[in-house]
Amino acid sequence: MAQKPSLPKGTRDFGPAQMLKRDYILNTIRSVFKKYGFMPLETPAIENLSVLTGKYGDEGDQLLFRILNTGDFLKKTSAGDYEEGAKALSPKIAEKGLKYDLTVPFARYVVMNRGEITFPFKRYQIQPVWRADRPQKGRYREFYQCDADVVGTGSLICEAELMAIVNEVYTQLNFNDYKVSISSRKVLEGLAALCEVSDKFTAFCVILDKLDKIGEERVAEELSTIGVSSQNLEKLKELLNTTGSNQEKLGTFREAFVNSEVGLAGLDELSETFEHLKGLKVTTDQIIFDPTLARGLSYYTGIIYEVKPTSISMGTITAGGRYDNLTGVFGMEGVSGVGISFGIDRIYDSLEELNLFPETNSDITQILITNFDKESEAHALGILAKLRSKNIKAEIFPEAAKLKKQLNYANNKGIAHVLMVGSREIESGEYVLKNMETGDQQTATIDALANLLS
Amino acid sequence: MAQKPSLPKGTRDFGPAQMLKRDYILNTIRSVFKKYGFMPLETPAIENLSVLTGKYGDEGDQLLFRILNTGDFLKKTSAGDYEEGAKALSPKIAEKGLKYDLTVPFARYVVMNRGEITFPFKRYQIQPVWRADRPQKGRYREFYQCDADVVGTGSLICEAELMAIVNEVYTQLNFNDYKVSISSRKVLEGLAALCEVSDKFTAFCVILDKLDKIGEERVAEELSTIGVSSQNLEKLKELLNTTGSNQEKLGTFREAFVNSEVGLAGLDELSETFEHLKGLKVTTDQIIFDPTLARGLSYYTGIIYEVKPTSISMGTITAGGRYDNLTGVFGMEGVSGVGISFGIDRIYDSLEELNLFPETNSDITQILITNFDKESEAHALGILAKLRSKNIKAEIFPEAAKLKKQLNYANNKGIAHVLMVGSREIESGEYVLKNMETGDQQTATIDALANLLS
């Protein structure tokens, strides 16, 4: 009868040790979001496929998890549908799916609640999403996204605030070895104009994005295949090799973009964002104007940014940008927004690799009360109640057991203190307190103990 | 092109106002769980159907949401499978499903991690579950469960601790109008033995459970149809009408159960649990021994309990009990446990109906800084940075706008204070602070303001 249970590919359990660390990260981010005026939103895991499909491209559509209609799901089908194959049958037997990201459900929420929302609307959302991707190291089929967005305003203060959030989150996590790359889709458009390949914008960006990986020469080769002249390649090369501060680089670009209205607009927006950052007293040492940054260009229309660790090889840990038309696909035009997304799994792995998780965790039981016999149990329960009434996280070993077993329990659970309660201690009113880390023992009354732990 | 988006039946968005209230409830419960030594666990939404099916009875199996296999899901099927119908085809095209509760995934987790878990294992879990039930008022297809369990010990201290948690959670929520009913499956077995219908235990319990709804006479009628003699009906009636304290009632039952070993064991366990509650200084005024309580008898084997509001009609808001064999279905025998489950939706509705949600919520922005023109913006951003550096939740209206619009924004969002920053204020260093609740205005320096809000 008994079966050996297993987990679906690409899914994970988070046991207590992992959960405490994940909560440490998520609680930090959540508290910063709140401090900056973002409010929580949750949307269901299940969405109608009519909401999800067509929003993520063909590839995305294929990665949607589809939920079989309940009851007789073949009711509306015919043998002919079956013969046509899975692709034809699927929409007739599955009308709902699991959400693929937090953005499309957010757009749906905004459209459905437009009458009640006060704009600008600042929301954060921390929930799992699902993708039927091929699982591999660091890529899961069910994973959390952690997003904050402001919609309903084009103000670049929002961009600066999101950068300030990045700074505050990583400062609070004691994670300082990172770099923020910032640019704008409009800068890329300016570069394409400069190279006289505005009609091949996407191809141009794809090639430029490879600069880090394949180097200047091969990028030049590829750009020439899409029609960039050698003269323009020279101009581009010189521009991209500009050094200096962000302000200096923006100045050099301004000269080169003199004929590109969109390019200049992008530079103005970057300058204004840097101004706002100064106003917000955010140090910009780690924020670098990187004109080759090309991410999310199918939806981002303005400023874009990404955060990567500098001392370890981890990829992007946070990213975002401005989009012009969040809700257009649902018939509500003109809603501009800007967002940021923290990659929880990679932040977790980074803190782990850099040994940055705090040694103590305030979510763990502070003290275990031993249990040696029925006689001392009632007394021990009274001590437990007293400690808890002082808001101390405390527990009792629920059954009489050998000391070693109980110490082992405390040790494995990371409980810092064990209080010995036996008949001798009850009589004297002085209890032995063992510090599990140092092994030190001291005697104390319950009141003294409560003060020590509070 | 544009479509009007909708939500699947039985699912909900939780907007900011609801989320703040839900978080208030969940954070309260979570903090109490931690105070009592419970550690967090999360399992995936998606489970293999081999793990889920057969665990909830035929009805439960039908309520599982099944996920269509990805790719060509018809690959392993034939036209014959299609002809056989949905029930035959389903297992061949859907191998995964959404979890139906938190208990079976918890059992799977315990079995898969038995080597690493230190028992007794105290875990809490707060996650959504899915059931393809017919949606109706108060019944959803996606809803949160909020469970705490201790597994790997038979100690009745655990039962008492869970009662203490109920007491502490509802005290912290200022929700005092509730009653805890407590009994044991073994007491029901004792009653069935007394009535000489031990062989018809389930039918006996189903009838007894209707006492509140259909009254004594009709229960007696129904019991006689399953073979309870009129003499035994008299004995039962007398016993169930016993009044007095819990101790007095338990004493009366003890006399009646003199020939029922299992019945006496149930009474002993209840007495011991009440003893532990006394040890834990938990007032038992609201905890009532109710021998007719019959819930979850397909899995509970020992003590059972449920919590209901007394001043409103709401049904059960919290319930649980002891089970003997959590993991047997996965081949790991002898794991006894006891658990409790808080019904978040009903607690939410109860607090709403009784007007018990606190008026202020510490998750909301404390102060909005106005934005009238580009000139004052940089200065205002500096004030914003200063307030946040003192851990005050603050935001700036991101674009210049009329005062009315900005006050409206603060009002709708529940922000308690608005700080006016214009050229005059910048010059004087004294800012006008408006209290949005009273309408009062005062002038203050930023330092004075920060002290006021901290």
Side-chain angles (χ1 to χ4, degrees), chain A residues 37 153 155 161 388 398-399 413, chain B residues 37 153 155 161 398-399 413:
Chain A
T153 173
S155 166
E161 293 249 89
R388 285 183 183 149
E399 53 198 34
K413 208 166 166 174
Chain B
T153 172
S155 167
E161 293 248 90
E399 53 198 34
K413 207 165 165 175

Side-chain angles (χ1 to χ4, degrees), chain B residues 123-176:
Chain B
R123 86 84 174 80
Y124 72 85
Q125 196 168 350
I126 304 176
Q127 290 193 278
V129 299
W130 293 265
R131 293 180 187 182
D133 241 325
R134 190 183 303 274
Q136 50 180 262
K137 189 180 178 307
R139 191 199 283 167
Y140 303 98
R141 292 184 146 194
E142 173 171 337
F143 59 97
Y144 270 74
Q145 287 193 335
C146 173
D147 291 7
D149 290 77
V150 192
V151 297
T153 172
S155 167
L156 293 162
I157 287 180
C158 303
E159 273 84 341
E161 293 248 90
L162 293 176
M163 297 294 97
I165 283 177
V166 166
N167 180 66
E168 181 142 2
V169 163
Y170 287 111
T171 301
Q172 286 194 19
L173 293 175
N174 288 313
F175 184 177
N176 302 309

Side-chain angles (χ1 to χ4, degrees), chain B residues 287-298:
Chain B
I287 307 179
I288 292 144
F289 168 47
D290 175 1
T292 66
L293 179 67
R295 60 172 303 124
L297 297 176
S298 59

Side-chain angles (χ1 to χ4, degrees), chain A residues 411-428:
Chain A
N411 214 27
N412 287 342
K413 208 166 166 174
I415 301 174
H417 296 93
V418 173
L419 188 75
M420 317 285 178
V421 177
S423 49
R424 211 169 355 145
E425 285 83 3
I426 295 173
E427 216 164 284
S428 70

Side-chain angles (χ1 to χ4, degrees), chain B residues 2 13 29 61 132 135 160 162 190 211 215 239 295 300 305 310 326 371 381 399 401 406 419 427:
Chain B
D13 289 321
I29 298 174
D61 282 354
L162 293 176
L211 196 58
L239 197 53
R295 60 172 303 124
Y300 291 138
Y305 34 81
T310 47
L326 176 71
N371 187 338
L381 289 176
E399 53 198 34
Q406 300 188 50
L419 189 75
E427 217 163 282

Side-chain angles (χ1 to χ4, degrees), chain A residues 57-208:
Chain A
D58 284 348
E59 204 198 339
D61 282 355
Q62 280 169 33
L63 298 183
L64 291 171
F65 278 111
R66 291 153 200 271
I67 296 167
L68 210 49
N69 293 344
T70 47
D72 180 7
F73 57 85
L74 292 178
K75 209 165 46 193
K76 295 182 205 158
T77 69
S78 68
D81 295 325
Y82 176 83
E83 295 304 333
E84 268 194 75
K87 206 162 175 184
L89 189 63
S90 170
K92 296 185 175 163
I93 62 173
E95 284 155 16
K96 293 181 286 290
L98 294 177
K99 69 177 171 225
Y100 179 89
D101 71 1
L102 302 179
T103 307
V104 167
F106 174 48
R108 177 194 53 66
Y109 175 83
V110 169
V111 172
M112 287 177 68
N113 297 277
R114 59 211 291 178
E116 281 127 60
I117 293 172
T118 309
F119 294 96
F121 182 42
K122 300 168 83 170
R123 85 86 176 79
Y124 74 84
Q125 196 168 350
I126 303 175
Q127 289 193 278
V129 300
W130 293 266
R131 295 180 186 182
D133 241 325
R134 190 184 302 273
Q136 49 181 262
K137 190 180 178 307
R139 190 198 284 167
Y140 303 98
R141 294 185 142 192
E142 172 172 338
F143 59 97
Y144 269 75
Q145 286 193 336
C146 173
D147 290 8
D149 290 78
V150 193
V151 298
T153 173
S155 166
L156 293 162
I157 288 180
C158 303
E159 273 83 341
E161 293 249 89
L162 294 175
M163 296 295 96
I165 284 176
V166 166
N167 180 66
E168 182 143 1
V169 163
Y170 287 112
T171 300
Q172 286 194 20
L173 293 174
N174 288 312
F175 184 177
N176 302 308
D177 302 344
Y178 68 87
K179 177 183 93 167
V180 182
S181 300
I182 187 167
S183 186
S184 168
R185 180 203 178 89
K186 295 173 186 171
V187 169
L188 290 165
E189 290 181 23
L191 289 174
L194 187 82
C195 292
E196 297 175 279
V197 287
S198 292
D199 55 332
K200 288 169 188 150
F201 179 65
T202 306
F204 175 78
C205 294
V206 168
I207 297 169
L208 206 61

